[in-house]
Amino acid sequence: MSRLRLLARNGWEADTGVRAATAQVMAELDAAESILLDALSGSVRREAVAHFLSCRVNRLAIVAEHAAATADAGDLPVLRRLLYQFHALAEAMWRVQLGLQTNTPPPKTGTGGRPQTPATWA
């Protein structure tokens, strides 16, 4: 993300740096999403969370592609706007992922190793 901020401020090496920097951020977000969805396996929320995150990743990918195309065209003012937008969307995505991770209670086991229902959590 710091590399994207530098590109937005300075504009140097924008044509090659934007694609690499946005791809790196997208890869990190994908890895975090996989970990989160693995943690939610077996949960009734998993499918809804997967769909929600997929929509956000799609929006982020569109902005990343527009930023790369703008960098190729050499339009620094528009590139800056797109990079700030990408940064805001990526940061929001990380916050959502972290919020979902902290709100997911660990499965509790009762007698016999069976999961307890929320009503029996004490």
Side-chain angles (χ1 to χ4, degrees):
M1 294 302 289
S2 59
R3 191 161 131 193
L4 286 173
R5 276 188 240 120
L6 280 173
L7 288 169
R9 266 190 237 131
N10 302 332
W12 52 270
E13 296 178 18
D15 55 341
T16 59
V18 170
R19 282 193 198 281
T22 56
Q24 183 178 10
V25 170
M26 295 293 291
E28 290 174 12
L29 284 168
D30 283 342
E33 179 181 352
S34 294
I35 291 169
L36 175 62
L37 292 177
D38 286 346
L40 288 173
S41 66
S43 170
V44 295
R45 295 176 37 192
R46 187 183 189 288
E47 290 304 314
V49 168
H51 177 71
F52 175 73
L53 292 176
S54 133
C55 290
R56 287 176 87 62
V57 166
N58 186 41
R59 184 174 178 199
L60 193 62
I62 290 169
V63 173
E65 186 55 39
H66 284 197
T70 302
D72 291 342
D75 191 350
L76 188 57
V78 174
L79 175 62
R80 284 184 177 137
R81 181 183 60 80
L82 289 168
L83 290 178
Y84 288 128
Q85 184 179 7
F86 182 85
H87 180 269
L89 290 170
E91 189 173 282
M93 182 82 170
W94 275 313
R95 285 185 182 168
V96 165
Q97 289 174 343
L98 287 172
L100 288 171
Q101 284 177 344
T102 58
N103 289 334
T104 305
K108 297 188 177 193
T109 56
T111 344
R114 289 179 294 164
Q116 293 179 335
T117 62
T120 60
W121 294 352

